[in-house]
Amino acid sequence: MPNPTRPAAFLLAAALALTGCGADVTTRADGKEGTAEADRHYPVTVENCGEKRTFAKAPQRVVTNDVGITEIMFALGLENHMAGYVMPDDKGDMTSVPWKDGYKKTKWLSKERINKELVLDADADLVFAGWNYGFNEGEGFTPAELKRVGVDSYLLSESCRNGQGKARGVMPPLDALYTDLRNLGKIFDVEDRAESLITSFRKQVADAQAKAPKGDDRPRVFLYDDGKDKPLTSGAYAGPHDIITKAGGDHIMKDLKDSWTTVGWETVVDRDPEVIVINNYGDTTADQKRAFLKSYKPLANVSAIKNDQIVVLDYVDLVESPRNPAAISSLAEDLRTFAQ
């Protein structure tokens, strides 16, 4: 409670002394104001894709690329630290997630591909994207190029390159999600919030695993993204691997040490999946993908096709995102139904 007997001149002098000492009044990630002297959280250092990154303060104008990355920020309650997001409008339902209000509070900067000009126009101080999730040498949009113009970057951990050409993936997919939540928790001083999410997600996954098919009941599962000549699918380091495995399935491409990659149809036929999961996004609808799979003659004798055991999940369920645990629960229920 203010002291009415304290002279106004004293209060003014105190305020001048504070500003004269160079105190930096900032807005924290939790919405509270504080001073750099009082807030001992910074600087913080995190490891991102094998590189140590130090932040002197929380970024204030973050631009995110793609739906999963954007929702990681929303799940952490960091809308007030965002300049906006970039994503097409084909990424599924955005109205039923707990953090749906983030879309109302944050500017949708573009439905086209992210680029340097857009980032500079947004006056961004950090871009949260990933290799093939926005960053691409062929288009000249890279962390190095952004650094050259004074914009920092954070790479989605699912997209980390593993030293084998441009192959991606250095950790299991759910570990990548938890790593990014913890790193961003430190960067934005919301570590309690990050740990709460991780605890909740781990419980959700554990509950799904407890009811999932086990042992010989685990069906062989193939993830179909798109492609007719060669299918684009998930290796061991993309989200579907952990989603399929923890839901009680045997991921038939678990030996591929990459994230999203192409294989030959002959490999799919040889491994005879009992369930196919369709990634729902893009110009080709899930129904069109299903129709292709069922009409493609080389797949006619594959168990999933013969038994019509095809599941559809949205893109945001399958890329690294805070929707991954719910996708595990959903797929586990489908696999249990097929096993009956």
Side-chain angles (χ1 to χ4, degrees):
M1 179 175 179
N3 184 349
T5 63
R6 179 165 291 186
F10 176 87
L11 295 176
L12 177 61
L16 290 173
L18 183 61
T19 55
C21 290
D24 181 15
V25 178
T26 60
T27 301
R28 294 160 46 97
D30 58 10
K32 299 176 182 177
E33 286 193 349
T35 64
E37 287 81 4
D39 188 350
R40 302 300 181 188
H41 181 75
Y42 298 97
V44 295
T45 299
V46 299
E47 183 171 330
N48 181 215
C49 290
E51 180 183 352
K52 297 287 186 182
R53 307 289 308 284
T54 298
F55 293 82
K57 61 181 181 179
Q60 298 297 316
R61 294 192 58 79
V62 180
V63 170
T64 57
N65 183 71
D66 211 4
V67 58
I69 292 169
T70 300
E71 291 193 1
I72 289 173
M73 293 289 287
F74 290 167
L76 286 168
L78 296 174
E79 299 92 333
N80 61 326
H81 285 259
M82 293 176 63
Y85 60 90
V86 177
M87 71 172 73
D89 55 6
D90 63 349
K91 297 301 173 66
D93 177 36
M94 299 175 184
T95 63
S96 59
V97 291
W99 44 88
K100 63 184 178 182
D101 286 349
Y103 288 107
K104 300 175 185 176
K105 298 175 183 177
T106 312
K107 187 174 182 180
W108 195 341
L109 297 172
S110 175
K111 298 181 182 181
E112 306 299 325
R113 296 179 73 84
I114 192 170
N115 57 59
K116 182 174 68 175
E117 290 70 27
L118 179 151
V119 168
L120 292 176
D121 286 346
D123 194 25
D125 55 2
L126 183 137
V127 172
F128 181 12
W131 291 115
N132 288 23
Y133 290 93
F135 290 129
N136 187 315
E137 288 99 341
E139 298 178 3
F141 188 72
T142 65
E145 177 59 21
L146 288 179
K147 185 177 181 179
R148 191 184 67 80
V149 295
V151 181
D152 211 342
S153 303
Y154 183 89
L155 282 162
L156 184 75
S157 287
E158 183 189 272
S159 80
C160 297
R161 288 177 173 166
N162 60 27
Q164 302 175 44
K166 293 186 178 180
R168 296 173 296 162
V170 297
M171 65 183 76
L174 279 179
D175 287 355
L177 173 63
Y178 301 153
T179 294
D180 286 334
L181 288 170
R182 283 201 174 98
N183 280 349
L184 293 166
K186 291 179 182 177
I187 292 168
F188 291 95
D189 194 12
V190 289
E191 290 178 89
D192 288 349
R193 198 175 301 164
E195 290 301 328
S196 178
L197 280 173
I198 293 168
T199 298
S200 173
F201 290 160
R202 286 190 186 278
K203 184 180 186 305
Q204 191 172 9
V205 172
D207 288 347
Q209 283 186 284
K211 302 174 185 176
K214 296 175 177 63
D216 293 340
D217 291 333
R218 294 170 63 90
R220 298 181 300 277
V221 183
F222 172 63
L223 184 285
Y224 177 61
D225 182 286
D226 205 351
K228 294 185 176 181
D229 294 335
K230 286 186 174 183
L232 180 66
T233 189
S234 164
Y237 294 121
H241 174 73
D242 267 353
I243 291 169
I244 291 168
T245 302
K246 295 188 184 319
D250 178 11
H251 180 208
I252 66 169
M253 298 300 173
K254 58 183 178 288
D255 58 322
L256 297 179
K257 304 305 180 186
D258 201 344
S259 56
W260 298 92
T261 187
T262 56
V263 296
W265 282 117
E266 61 276 9
T267 302
V268 179
V269 173
D270 287 345
R271 299 184 181 190
D272 188 27
E274 297 166 282
V275 177
I276 294 176
V277 177
I278 289 175
N279 186 2
N280 182 27
Y281 77 105
D283 295 332
T284 306
T285 67
D287 285 343
Q288 289 171 325
K289 291 177 183 180
R290 181 194 295 268
F292 165 72
L293 292 170
K294 296 183 72 172
S295 65
Y296 188 53
K297 290 183 178 179
L299 296 178
N301 291 319
V302 165
S303 297
I305 301 300
K306 288 194 299 182
N307 298 318
D308 195 25
Q309 295 191 157
I310 299 174
V311 177
V312 176
L313 288 173
D314 282 338
Y315 172 93
V316 66
D317 297 321
L318 295 166
V319 297
E320 183 192 321
S321 83
R323 298 201 203 189
N324 295 158
I328 292 170
S329 298
S330 174
L331 182 58
E333 185 174 345
D334 288 327
L335 297 185
R336 286 198 308 274
T337 301
F338 291 147
Q340 292 174 356

